[in-house]
Amino acid sequence: MQYKVIAIDGPAGAGKSTIAKLVADKINYTYIDSGAMYRALTLKVLESSMDLQDKEAIIGISEIVDIDFKEKSIYLDGEVVDKQIREERINKNVSYISAIPEVRRNIVQLQRRISQGKNVVMDGRDVGTVIFPNAFLKFFITASLEERAKRRCTEIEDNGTQADLHDIKSQIEKRDYIDTNREDSPLIQAEDAILIDSSGKSIEEVLKEVLTYIASNGGKIDVV
Ligand code: CDP
């Protein structure tokens, strides 16, 4: 049997992971959050209290790090770290760590290994360009910076924490800048990706759009 990958890339806060999870549920594929893996690695690096300038040490950790997904949770060295990887300190540091080419090589290997033998919906920055250039379908989901920052704010507030729109906006802008301008696997729309601008659209609208593309490209959908 040939397994399929659906790649969903785009900038921070565009709603990729929300859409990717819903799509995966609808078509009974496995959802894999490639960004969560860089976040878990960043957590391990921060917990090891090493010098963040010490690239060799960070690369060393990326070679041995144990990251896995089970039952919709992410495990770092056998522990669930769903909450910790969303902390502020991770947001601030992840893009520096994910820009190191040797780190990317190791994490991409892991991302491919975790996807083996499964139909997968994976979201991230380089899923359609680097991890799975032959993906069955590729989407690039974006939205205006203003809207992405507002969505992130609402998400944080819904989780019971105060959020400052201005801070979040500049943080997202900074992360996008690093992700887009790094030399290795920058955030870029793959030539054969379908562009969806989700500004002003509801989750349901974007989901419908994605599912329609999947169905019209021969993807099997048992819509629940
Ligand atoms: O959810 P959000 O869009 O904020 O980010 P994420 O998908 O959790 O990714 C966190 C960070 O990991 C990004 O800002 C990138 O620096 C890095 N990343 C990457 O380099 N390549 C990927 N395929 C996914 C994430």
Side-chain angles (χ1 to χ4, degrees), residues 35-221:
M37 299 171 76
Y38 288 102
R39 287 174 176 273
L41 172 68
T42 304
L43 176 64
K44 185 164 170 96
V45 168
L46 294 178
E47 299 275 283
S48 321
S49 43
M50 63 174 52
D51 178 2
L52 286 176
Q53 305 299 322
D54 189 348
K55 282 194 183 172
E56 289 310 316
I58 296 174
I59 294 165
I61 290 210
S62 74
E63 277 161 10
I64 53 151
V65 70
D66 173 15
I67 299 171
D68 206 359
F69 293 94
K70 267 181 245 154
E71 315 251 320
K72 304 196 176 180
S73 277
I74 181 159
Y75 286 73
L76 170 67
D77 297 329
E79 303 255 339
V80 177
V81 290
D82 296 330
K83 279 225 171 79
Q84 295 91 312
I85 62 164
R86 305 286 157 197
E87 285 171 12
E88 210 44 38
R89 57 187 179 136
I90 308 293
N91 293 337
K92 289 212 169 98
N93 290 293
V94 63
S95 288
Y96 296 102
I97 291 179
S98 74
I100 304 171
E102 293 86 346
V103 164
R104 300 202 67 81
R105 217 169 42 223
N106 292 326
I107 298 297
V108 167
Q109 239 180 40
L110 207 56
Q111 286 159 340
R112 291 189 182 134
R113 198 176 330 130
I114 285 177
S115 309
Q116 256 170 25
K118 301 180 185 88
N119 287 311
V120 162
V121 179
M122 186 184 281
D123 76 320
R125 303 291 186 284
D126 61 340
V127 183
T129 50
V130 176
I131 313 174
F132 293 113
N134 298 320
F136 161 63
L137 262 184
K138 302 175 187 179
F139 294 92
F140 194 86
I141 301 187
T142 184
S144 69
L145 174 64
E146 191 67 30
E147 185 146 345
R148 291 187 284 123
K150 277 191 190 147
R151 286 183 195 158
R152 246 318 119 86
C153 239
T154 312
E155 204 176 278
I156 295 168
E157 282 167 355
D158 285 351
N159 283 327
T161 316
Q162 279 274 62
D164 180 274
L165 181 62
H166 185 262
D167 275 3
I168 290 180
K169 201 168 152 184
S170 66
Q171 207 187 88
I172 285 185
E173 214 171 2
K174 203 182 276 173
R175 201 143 56 87
D176 281 351
Y177 182 84
I178 304 172
D179 292 346
T180 310
N181 290 286
R182 68 185 175 215
E183 244 163 63
D184 189 333
S185 344
L187 166 65
I188 189 176
Q189 184 184 339
E191 267 178 28
D192 50 350
I194 297 149
L195 174 67
I196 298 181
D197 185 344
S198 70
S199 308
K201 288 182 189 161
S202 67
I203 291 169
E204 289 71 28
E205 281 173 294
V206 179
L207 176 65
K208 206 171 152 198
E209 224 173 294
V210 171
L211 290 175
T212 305
Y213 275 113
I214 296 173
S216 62
N217 279 277
K220 181 177 163 286
I221 306 178

Side-chain angles (χ1 to χ4, degrees), residues 15-28:
K16 303 176 304 283
S17 58
T18 308
I19 296 298
K21 268 182 220 159
L22 290 167
V23 169
D25 272 355
K26 283 276 185 202
I27 62 175
N28 208 14

